[in-house]
PDB file of all heavy atoms in Angstrom:
ATOM      1  N   GLU A 552     -51.365  57.228 -53.229  1.00 90.00           N
ATOM      2  CA  GLU A 552     -50.261  58.135 -52.866  1.00 90.00           C
ATOM      3  C   GLU A 552     -48.891  57.470 -52.952  1.00 90.00           C
ATOM      4  O   GLU A 552     -47.995  57.800 -52.172  1.00 90.00           O
ATOM      5  CB  GLU A 552     -50.471  58.660 -51.436  1.00 90.00           C
ATOM      6  CG  GLU A 552     -51.704  59.508 -51.289  1.00 90.00           C
ATOM      7  CD  GLU A 552     -52.125  59.648 -49.839  1.00 90.00           C
ATOM      8  OE1 GLU A 552     -51.310  59.351 -48.950  1.00 90.00           O
ATOM      9  OE2 GLU A 552     -53.274  60.033 -49.608  1.00 90.00           O
ATOM     10  N   THR A 553     -48.728  56.527 -53.851  1.00 92.00           N
ATOM     11  CA  THR A 553     -47.444  55.815 -53.905  1.00 92.00           C
ATOM     12  C   THR A 553     -46.959  55.698 -55.344  1.00 92.00           C
ATOM     13  O   THR A 553     -47.495  54.897 -56.115  1.00 92.00           O
ATOM     14  CB  THR A 553     -47.607  54.387 -53.310  1.00 92.00           C
ATOM     15  OG1 THR A 553     -48.330  54.490 -52.087  1.00 92.00           O
ATOM     16  CG2 THR A 553     -46.279  53.726 -53.074  1.00 92.00           C
ATOM     17  N   PRO A 554     -45.944  56.471 -55.716  1.00 94.00           N
ATOM     18  CA  PRO A 554     -45.411  56.312 -57.072  1.00 94.00           C
ATOM     19  C   PRO A 554     -44.713  54.964 -57.246  1.00 94.00           C
ATOM     20  O   PRO A 554     -44.112  54.439 -56.299  1.00 94.00           O
ATOM     21  CB  PRO A 554     -44.414  57.467 -57.216  1.00 94.00           C
ATOM     22  CG  PRO A 554     -44.261  58.060 -55.874  1.00 94.00           C
ATOM     23  CD  PRO A 554     -45.270  57.501 -54.939  1.00 94.00           C
ATOM     24  N   VAL A 555     -44.792  54.463 -58.464  1.00 97.00           N
ATOM     25  CA  VAL A 555     -44.228  53.145 -58.759  1.00 97.00           C
ATOM     26  C   VAL A 555     -42.874  53.318 -59.433  1.00 97.00           C
ATOM     27  O   VAL A 555     -42.729  54.096 -60.368  1.00 97.00           O
ATOM     28  CB  VAL A 555     -45.199  52.385 -59.700  1.00 97.00           C
ATOM     29  CG1 VAL A 555     -44.576  51.080 -60.181  1.00 97.00           C
ATOM     30  CG2 VAL A 555     -46.516  52.130 -58.999  1.00 97.00           C
ATOM     31  N   LYS A 556     -41.873  52.572 -58.954  1.00 97.00           N
ATOM     32  CA  LYS A 556     -40.536  52.645 -59.588  1.00 97.00           C
ATOM     33  C   LYS A 556     -40.444  51.661 -60.755  1.00 97.00           C
ATOM     34  O   LYS A 556     -40.000  52.006 -61.833  1.00 97.00           O
ATOM     35  CB  LYS A 556     -39.467  52.289 -58.557  1.00 97.00           C
ATOM     36  CG  LYS A 556     -39.133  53.418 -57.608  1.00 97.00           C
ATOM     37  CD  LYS A 556     -37.866  53.068 -56.838  1.00 97.00           C
ATOM     38  CE  LYS A 556     -37.692  54.012 -55.668  1.00 97.00           C
ATOM     39  NZ  LYS A 556     -37.182  53.329 -54.484  1.00 97.00           N
ATOM     40  N   SER A 557     -40.832  50.415 -60.507  1.00 96.00           N
ATOM     41  CA  SER A 557     -40.737  49.415 -61.582  1.00 96.00           C
ATOM     42  C   SER A 557     -41.685  48.253 -61.285  1.00 96.00           C
ATOM     43  O   SER A 557     -42.063  48.039 -60.123  1.00 96.00           O
ATOM     44  CB  SER A 557     -39.307  48.895 -61.701  1.00 96.00           C
ATOM     45  OG  SER A 557     -38.990  48.163 -60.535  1.00 96.00           O
ATOM     46  N   VAL A 558     -42.023  47.545 -62.341  1.00 97.00           N
ATOM     47  CA  VAL A 558     -42.908  46.383 -62.185  1.00 97.00           C
ATOM     48  C   VAL A 558     -42.380  45.255 -63.068  1.00 97.00           C
ATOM     49  O   VAL A 558     -41.967  45.496 -64.205  1.00 97.00           O
ATOM     50  CB  VAL A 558     -44.355  46.689 -62.669  1.00 97.00           C
ATOM     51  CG1 VAL A 558     -45.279  45.515 -62.357  1.00 97.00           C
ATOM     52  CG2 VAL A 558     -44.896  47.954 -62.055  1.00 97.00           C
ATOM     53  N   LYS A 559     -42.382  44.042 -62.532  1.00 97.00           N
ATOM     54  CA  LYS A 559     -42.127  42.890 -63.403  1.00 97.00           C
ATOM     55  C   LYS A 559     -43.153  41.816 -63.077  1.00 97.00           C
ATOM     56  O   LYS A 559     -43.719  41.800 -61.974  1.00 97.00           O
ATOM     57  CB  LYS A 559     -40.701  42.392 -63.273  1.00 97.00           C
ATOM     58  CG  LYS A 559     -40.301  41.914 -61.923  1.00 97.00           C
ATOM     59  CD  LYS A 559     -38.840  41.474 -61.958  1.00 97.00           C
ATOM     60  CE  LYS A 559     -38.496  40.866 -60.610  1.00 97.00           C
ATOM     61  NZ  LYS A 559     -37.137  40.506 -60.427  1.00 97.00           N
ATOM     62  N   GLY A 560     -43.389  40.954 -64.038  1.00 97.00           N
ATOM     63  CA  GLY A 560     -44.468  39.990 -63.823  1.00 97.00           C
ATOM     64  C   GLY A 560     -44.231  38.660 -64.481  1.00 97.00           C
ATOM     65  O   GLY A 560     -43.301  38.463 -65.268  1.00 97.00           O
ATOM     66  N   SER A 561     -45.123  37.753 -64.146  1.00 98.00           N
ATOM     67  CA  SER A 561     -45.090  36.405 -64.683  1.00 98.00           C
ATOM     68  C   SER A 561     -46.535  35.964 -64.868  1.00 98.00           C
ATOM     69  O   SER A 561     -47.389  36.311 -64.032  1.00 98.00           O
ATOM     70  CB  SER A 561     -44.410  35.537 -63.644  1.00 98.00           C
ATOM     71  OG  SER A 561     -43.697  34.528 -64.197  1.00 98.00           O
ATOM     72  N   VAL A 562     -46.815  35.226 -65.928  1.00 98.00           N
ATOM     73  CA  VAL A 562     -48.201  34.841 -66.198  1.00 98.00           C
ATOM     74  C   VAL A 562     -48.291  33.363 -66.551  1.00 98.00           C
ATOM     75  O   VAL A 562     -47.389  32.811 -67.196  1.00 98.00           O
ATOM     76  CB  VAL A 562     -48.811  35.719 -67.319  1.00 98.00           C
ATOM     77  CG1 VAL A 562     -48.098  35.521 -68.651  1.00 98.00           C
ATOM     78  CG2 VAL A 562     -50.306  35.462 -67.483  1.00 98.00           C
ATOM     79  N   LEU A 563     -49.401  32.771 -66.126  1.00 98.00           N
ATOM     80  CA  LEU A 563     -49.718  31.385 -66.444  1.00 98.00           C
ATOM     81  C   LEU A 563     -51.024  31.421 -67.214  1.00 98.00           C
ATOM     82  O   LEU A 563     -52.037  31.906 -66.688  1.00 98.00           O
ATOM     83  CB  LEU A 563     -49.893  30.605 -65.131  1.00 98.00           C
ATOM     84  CG  LEU A 563     -50.340  29.154 -65.204  1.00 98.00           C
ATOM     85  CD1 LEU A 563     -49.275  28.295 -65.870  1.00 98.00           C
ATOM     86  CD2 LEU A 563     -50.609  28.635 -63.786  1.00 98.00           C
ATOM     87  N   THR A 564     -51.009  30.965 -68.452  1.00 98.00           N
ATOM     88  CA  THR A 564     -52.241  31.012 -69.236  1.00 98.00           C
ATOM     89  C   THR A 564     -52.261  29.868 -70.238  1.00 98.00           C
ATOM     90  O   THR A 564     -51.224  29.254 -70.519  1.00 98.00           O
ATOM     91  CB  THR A 564     -52.401  32.395 -69.921  1.00 98.00           C
ATOM     92  OG1 THR A 564     -53.659  32.445 -70.584  1.00 98.00           O
ATOM     93  CG2 THR A 564     -51.293  32.696 -70.918  1.00 98.00           C
ATOM     94  N   GLY A 565     -53.426  29.569 -70.761  1.00 97.00           N
ATOM     95  CA  GLY A 565     -53.553  28.471 -71.724  1.00 97.00           C
ATOM     96  C   GLY A 565     -55.015  28.175 -71.943  1.00 97.00           C
ATOM     97  O   GLY A 565     -55.883  28.837 -71.372  1.00 97.00           O
ATOM     98  N   LYS A 566     -55.293  27.168 -72.748  1.00 97.00           N
ATOM     99  CA  LYS A 566     -56.686  26.759 -72.960  1.00 97.00           C
ATOM    100  C   LYS A 566     -57.217  26.144 -71.667  1.00 97.00           C
ATOM    101  O   LYS A 566     -56.458  25.631 -70.857  1.00 97.00           O
ATOM    102  CB  LYS A 566     -56.752  25.733 -74.085  1.00 97.00           C
ATOM    103  CG  LYS A 566     -56.356  26.283 -75.432  1.00 97.00           C
ATOM    104  CD  LYS A 566     -57.175  25.589 -76.522  1.00 97.00           C
ATOM    105  CE  LYS A 566     -56.980  26.248 -77.854  1.00 97.00           C
ATOM    106  NZ  LYS A 566     -55.707  25.881 -78.480  1.00 97.00           N
ATOM    107  N   MET A 567     -58.550  26.160 -71.535  1.00 98.00           N
ATOM    108  CA  MET A 567     -59.124  25.755 -70.245  1.00 98.00           C
ATOM    109  C   MET A 567     -58.712  24.350 -69.802  1.00 98.00           C
ATOM    110  O   MET A 567     -58.559  24.104 -68.614  1.00 98.00           O
ATOM    111  CB  MET A 567     -60.650  25.873 -70.267  1.00 98.00           C
ATOM    112  CG  MET A 567     -61.351  24.911 -71.180  1.00 98.00           C
ATOM    113  SD  MET A 567     -63.130  25.091 -71.052  1.00 98.00           S
ATOM    114  CE  MET A 567     -63.654  23.818 -72.184  1.00 98.00           C
ATOM    115  N   ASN A 568     -58.557  23.446 -70.760  1.00 98.00           N
ATOM    116  CA  ASN A 568     -58.191  22.093 -70.334  1.00 98.00           C
ATOM    117  C   ASN A 568     -56.748  21.730 -70.700  1.00 98.00           C
ATOM    118  O   ASN A 568     -56.387  20.547 -70.731  1.00 98.00           O
ATOM    119  CB  ASN A 568     -59.182  21.049 -70.849  1.00 98.00           C
ATOM    120  CG  ASN A 568     -59.326  21.114 -72.354  1.00 98.00           C
ATOM    121  OD1 ASN A 568     -58.618  21.900 -72.995  1.00 98.00           O
ATOM    122  ND2 ASN A 568     -60.212  20.321 -72.899  1.00 98.00           N
ATOM    123  N   ALA A 569     -55.926  22.745 -70.939  1.00 98.00           N
ATOM    124  CA  ALA A 569     -54.503  22.475 -71.216  1.00 98.00           C
ATOM    125  C   ALA A 569     -53.864  21.840 -69.980  1.00 98.00           C
ATOM    126  O   ALA A 569     -54.162  22.221 -68.846  1.00 98.00           O
ATOM    127  CB  ALA A 569     -53.792  23.780 -71.560  1.00 98.00           C
ATOM    128  N   HIS A 570     -52.993  20.872 -70.237  1.00 98.00           N
ATOM    129  CA  HIS A 570     -52.339  20.194 -69.114  1.00 98.00           C
ATOM    130  C   HIS A 570     -50.997  19.626 -69.551  1.00 98.00           C
ATOM    131  O   HIS A 570     -50.706  19.541 -70.744  1.00 98.00           O
ATOM    132  CB  HIS A 570     -53.232  19.090 -68.538  1.00 98.00           C
ATOM    133  CG  HIS A 570     -53.707  18.081 -69.536  1.00 98.00           C
ATOM    134  ND1 HIS A 570     -54.768  18.306 -70.381  1.00 98.00           N
ATOM    135  CD2 HIS A 570     -53.257  16.836 -69.824  1.00 98.00           C
ATOM    136  CE1 HIS A 570     -54.960  17.243 -71.145  1.00 98.00           C
ATOM    137  NE2 HIS A 570     -54.050  16.330 -70.830  1.00 98.00           N
ATOM    138  N   ASN A 571     -50.222  19.245 -68.584  1.00 98.00           N
ATOM    139  CA  ASN A 571     -48.906  18.670 -68.864  1.00 98.00           C
ATOM    140  C   ASN A 571     -48.974  17.148 -68.760  1.00 98.00           C
ATOM    141  O   ASN A 571     -49.622  16.618 -67.854  1.00 98.00           O
ATOM    142  CB  ASN A 571     -47.875  19.225 -67.873  1.00 98.00           C
ATOM    143  CG  ASN A 571     -47.639  20.705 -68.094  1.00 98.00           C
ATOM    144  OD1 ASN A 571     -47.775  21.198 -69.220  1.00 98.00           O
ATOM    145  ND2 ASN A 571     -47.314  21.442 -67.032  1.00 98.00           N
ATOM    146  N   THR A 572     -48.326  16.504 -69.695  1.00 98.00           N
ATOM    147  CA  THR A 572     -48.300  15.037 -69.671  1.00 98.00           C
ATOM    148  C   THR A 572     -46.843  14.576 -69.578  1.00 98.00           C
ATOM    149  O   THR A 572     -45.920  15.385 -69.739  1.00 98.00           O
ATOM    150  CB  THR A 572     -48.922  14.456 -70.961  1.00 98.00           C
ATOM    151  OG1 THR A 572     -48.082  14.829 -72.062  1.00 98.00           O
ATOM    152  CG2 THR A 572     -50.330  14.961 -71.187  1.00 98.00           C
ATOM    153  N   PHE A 573     -46.665  13.291 -69.386  1.00 98.00           N
ATOM    154  CA  PHE A 573     -45.295  12.788 -69.275  1.00 98.00           C
ATOM    155  C   PHE A 573     -44.559  12.898 -70.608  1.00 98.00           C
ATOM    156  O   PHE A 573     -43.342  13.011 -70.642  1.00 98.00           O
ATOM    157  CB  PHE A 573     -45.303  11.356 -68.732  1.00 98.00           C
ATOM    158  CG  PHE A 573     -45.894  11.304 -67.351  1.00 98.00           C
ATOM    159  CD1 PHE A 573     -47.187  10.831 -67.139  1.00 98.00           C
ATOM    160  CD2 PHE A 573     -45.190  11.806 -66.276  1.00 98.00           C
ATOM    161  CE1 PHE A 573     -47.753  10.840 -65.876  1.00 98.00           C
ATOM    162  CE2 PHE A 573     -45.742  11.826 -65.001  1.00 98.00           C
ATOM    163  CZ  PHE A 573     -47.028  11.336 -64.807  1.00 98.00           C
ATOM    164  N   ASP A 574     -45.337  12.913 -71.710  1.00 97.00           N
ATOM    165  CA  ASP A 574     -44.700  13.077 -73.021  1.00 97.00           C
ATOM    166  C   ASP A 574     -44.525  14.545 -73.378  1.00 97.00           C
ATOM    167  O   ASP A 574     -43.654  14.894 -74.174  1.00 97.00           O
ATOM    168  CB  ASP A 574     -45.548  12.389 -74.101  1.00 97.00           C
ATOM    169  CG  ASP A 574     -45.560  10.888 -73.869  1.00 97.00           C
ATOM    170  OD1 ASP A 574     -44.543  10.381 -73.352  1.00 97.00           O
ATOM    171  OD2 ASP A 574     -46.586  10.259 -74.160  1.00 97.00           O
ATOM    172  N   ALA A 575     -45.388  15.384 -72.859  1.00 98.00           N
ATOM    173  CA  ALA A 575     -45.301  16.835 -73.143  1.00 98.00           C
ATOM    174  C   ALA A 575     -45.394  17.593 -71.815  1.00 98.00           C
ATOM    175  O   ALA A 575     -46.434  18.163 -71.472  1.00 98.00           O
ATOM    176  CB  ALA A 575     -46.430  17.244 -74.084  1.00 98.00           C
ATOM    177  N   PRO A 576     -44.314  17.569 -71.046  1.00 98.00           N
ATOM    178  CA  PRO A 576     -44.372  18.098 -69.671  1.00 98.00           C
ATOM    179  C   PRO A 576     -44.411  19.621 -69.574  1.00 98.00           C
ATOM    180  O   PRO A 576     -44.690  20.156 -68.496  1.00 98.00           O
ATOM    181  CB  PRO A 576     -43.097  17.552 -69.026  1.00 98.00           C
ATOM    182  CG  PRO A 576     -42.180  17.230 -70.149  1.00 98.00           C
ATOM    183  CD  PRO A 576     -43.016  16.937 -71.348  1.00 98.00           C
TER     184      PRO A 576
END
Side-chain angles (χ1 to χ4, degrees):
E552 296 162 16
T553 314
V555 173
K556 281 192 193 141
S557 67
V558 186
K559 61 181 185 185
S561 213
V562 64
L563 175 66
T564 185
K566 295 213 171 77
M567 67 177 182
N568 56 4
H570 54 280
N571 293 331
T572 65
F573 298 104
D574 294 329

